Amino acid sequence: MIFPIHKEEQDLLRMIGAVAGKLGSPAYLVGGYVRDKMLGRDTKDLDIVCLGSGIALAEHVADQLMPRPHVTVFRRFGTAMLHHQGRELEFVGARKESYREDSRKPAVEEGSLEDDQFRRDFTINALAISLNDADFGNLLDPFNGIAHLSEKILKTPMDPGKTFSDDPLRMMRAIRFATQLGFTIEEETLQAIGKYKERIRIISQERITTELNKILEAPTPSIGFRLLLDTGLLDLILPELVELKGVEFKEGIGHKDNFYHTLQVVDNLCKRSDDLWLRWAALLHDIAKPATKRFDPEVGWTFHGHDALGANMVGKIFRKMRLPLDHKLKFVQKMVRMHLRPISLTQEDITDSAVRRLLFDAGEDLESLLMLCEADITSKNPKKVSRYLDNYRHLRQKLDEVEESDRLRNWQPPVSGELIMASFGIGPCREVGLIKTRIREAILDGEIDNNLEAATRLMFSEGRKLGLIARQTPTNP
Ligand code: ATP
Ligand code: MG
């Protein structure tokens, strides 16, 4: 092999080659596995192409493995997949493809290994390695994929226009690989994306979103978002983000370009956190700035309410992008809604009660929120950056102190609705909510202590004010 490989994997590949030999279906490793191994990236996905039936090869390979893995067959695609020792092996017969205008699903016929390499999206994804006895480990590189790997360029084996028009998902894949690998998209290939961008409309939202997520999971997502912007794809898939671009001047006063600011925030955050959803929050934290932008001759540009409106927009965007609508959406909305809160607490004279409120409202997401805020510092002046970071260090200390004394994270007020109802012999009603809120506020403001006794006392006095009559209960002090 031309790259280092564990003996165990080598034996597995030899076995596949031997089985393929017996079936008269020469087999080759192709695609992502070869690319990633050549780049020294770890990979557990093996794509195997053979001259013959991929399904038959998979079944015969499974027969040789202990324990025999289940073979999942996708008859419509002529592919089969099995799992073995943490690896995913996918088998397919070499094929030739021809496409129709309205679909990315090609008509398929049997083909040679070269036909099969030719149908692949990029030269670096079209490398093949023989698994056959006669030339085991031999590299077949008809399109200079190895050279392109070392030059770090993405280029299509055939005419790029045809490649992208046939299957427009490849445009997203090009930008995703450029971002993941730090590669450059070769000029003609890049031009073709711009030219055929409209074809993206035949791709399902789910597939587009999968690629966007991979871009966001890369070390420097801004590479991908710049390419999406420059090729015009971003206009088609996430126009709200494009709206952030540009600087307006009035009376000689400009504001920052919120598109490039946002990308910087995302990149900054990615150095601190791998959490995809926090990365989405960074991408969308200022999304409502265009909609809330005003010019005030006294103070210049303002974006009042962009946090609340932004949280709202996140819901719409998640729905459109077919992103999950569960607690992950709630989390991203919470981050966007709260992203201005910590900065307002970085002044010198903050009160314990303001700190307590932040602890209570952020709950278990406090650390994520602070990371987002620290990433939101994008000044080009290093002195300012370090001063702002210092402010957050100070705030973190303050948060720790108050947390230490109050234990407010994941806190629930000590008096529940049930206790209120039982204490006054009432059912669910407006008064229960009023009393609950009053107790929570009193604790957060430091007006009463955070314990059951103080809370119960306040409950009874508030109840009396509301005309409720206390029942004699053991908790009545
Ligand atoms: P990753 O696994 O990181 O997504 P990959 O390149 O392995 O990257 P897969 O989707 O696993 O991507 O596909 C395996 C191989 O199949 C690719 O390397 C490529 O050769 C080919 N391939 C995948 N999708 C396409 C496509 N849309 N057009 C042409 N070839 C493709
Ligand atoms: Mg793969």
Side-chain angles (χ1 to χ4, degrees), residues 128-421:
I129 287 179
S130 168
L131 298 179
N132 310 298
D133 273 348
D135 57 352
F136 184 86
N138 208 17
L139 178 76
L140 296 123
D141 176 16
F143 310 112
N144 271 330
I146 292 290
H148 298 155
L149 271 181
S150 65
E151 293 162 39
K152 293 178 168 249
I153 58 173
L154 286 154
K155 188 173 177 345
T156 56
M158 55 172 161
D159 169 54
K162 178 154 175 44
T163 304
F164 294 135
S165 168
D166 279 352
D167 177 359
L169 183 66
R170 294 165 178 163
M171 303 190 280
M172 291 299 296
R173 282 174 55 91
I175 293 175
R176 183 255 288 193
F177 286 124
T179 316
Q180 277 181 330
L181 306 174
F183 277 31
T184 307
I185 303 176
E186 173 270 338
E187 191 51 36
E188 212 185 315
T189 305
L190 187 63
Q191 297 291 337
I193 298 180
K195 186 156 170 212
Y196 288 94
K197 63 179 184 205
E198 295 286 342
R199 293 280 293 157
I200 199 69
R201 297 194 197 278
I202 69 163
I203 302 297
S204 75
Q205 184 60 53
E206 285 80 355
R207 284 186 178 271
I208 294 172
T209 298
T210 301
E211 297 300 325
L212 271 184
N213 281 341
K214 288 186 181 181
I215 290 171
L216 267 180
E217 278 168 332
T220 313
S222 64
I223 300 174
F225 285 99
R226 276 171 204 270
L227 285 167
L228 287 170
L229 179 83
D230 295 345
T231 55
L233 275 172
L234 199 58
D235 270 311
L236 301 171
I237 61 178
L238 199 48
E240 295 85 348
L241 216 52
V242 183
E243 287 290 307
L244 293 173
K245 199 174 151 317
V247 180
E248 198 177 332
F249 280 90
K250 262 191 190 163
E251 299 177 15
I253 304 173
H255 56 78
K256 66 184 158 201
D257 183 312
N258 287 304
F259 180 77
Y260 293 106
H261 162 70
T262 291
L263 294 194
Q264 180 71 57
V265 176
V266 173
D267 285 353
N268 286 350
L269 180 84
C270 292
K271 295 194 192 100
R272 297 162 202 261
S273 166
D274 289 336
D275 179 356
L276 174 62
W277 306 108
L278 190 52
R279 290 175 176 207
W280 268 107
L283 187 69
L284 301 179
H285 77 287
D286 277 346
I287 200 70
K289 274 198 168 171
T292 54
K293 182 163 95 171
R294 301 278 179 278
F295 185 78
D296 177 336
E298 301 283 305
V299 291
W301 293 100
T302 66
F303 305 89
H304 291 309
H306 78 273
D307 40 356
L309 183 65
N312 224 323
M313 288 176 69
V314 169
K316 297 202 181 92
I317 290 173
F318 264 48
R319 214 154 287 133
K320 188 180 74 178
M321 303 306 276
R322 299 258 195 282
L323 283 160
L325 302 179
D326 55 10
H327 61 278
K328 300 184 183 95
L329 166 61
K330 289 253 150 31
F331 168 77
V332 177
Q333 289 183 304
K334 180 175 173 183
M335 291 297 105
V336 173
R337 191 182 315 108
M338 292 189 70
H339 81 272
L340 300 174
R341 288 278 299 277
I343 195 160
S344 65
L345 296 186
T346 51
Q347 280 87 33
E348 277 301 301
D349 52 349
I350 38 168
T351 61
D352 277 10
S353 100
V355 172
R356 218 174 271 133
R357 273 176 191 285
L358 178 63
L359 272 169
F360 177 68
D361 292 343
E364 59 183 2
D365 300 318
L366 180 66
E367 181 54 32
S368 299
L369 182 63
L370 292 173
M371 283 196 283
L372 176 59
C373 291
E374 285 159 348
D376 203 0
I377 303 170
T378 59
S379 167
K380 288 197 175 61
N381 177 346
K383 278 204 187 111
K384 272 193 185 167
V385 173
S386 93
R387 194 170 77 234
Y388 295 157
L389 281 173
D390 251 8
N391 288 344
Y392 281 114
R393 251 192 298 280
H394 184 233
L395 174 63
R396 277 172 184 279
Q397 249 171 30
K398 197 87 190 128
L399 283 159
D400 282 347
E401 284 163 24
V402 175
E403 159 72 0
E404 180 105 4
S405 66
D406 291 17
R407 310 232 159 274
L408 269 173
R409 222 175 288 190
N410 301 322
W411 173 76
Q412 286 300 319
V415 167
S416 68
E418 283 76 33
L419 182 66
I420 299 171
M421 290 189 278

Side-chain angles (χ1 to χ4, degrees), residues 30-33 35-36 41 43 45 47 90 97 99 104 116-117 119-122 124-127 163 167-170 173 176-177 180 207 211 214:
V30 280
Y33 176 88
R35 174 198 70 221
D36 286 343
R41 298 170 94 222
T43 170
D45 292 352
D47 291 305
E90 196 161 331
E97 293 178 342
Y99 286 82
R104 64 179 286 263
D116 197 280
Q117 285 171 293
R119 78 177 172 88
R120 294 185 179 263
D121 48 5
F122 304 105
I124 62 165
N125 285 346
L127 299 163
T163 304
D167 177 359
L169 183 66
R170 294 165 178 163
R173 282 174 55 91
R176 183 255 288 193
F177 286 124
Q180 277 181 330
R207 284 186 178 271
E211 297 300 325
K214 288 186 181 181

Side-chain angles (χ1 to χ4, degrees), residues 54-72:
I55 298 172
L57 178 58
E59 295 286 1
H60 283 83
V61 165
D63 287 341
Q64 302 296 313
L65 295 171
M66 282 286 285
R68 187 185 192 279
H70 172 73
V71 178
T72 309

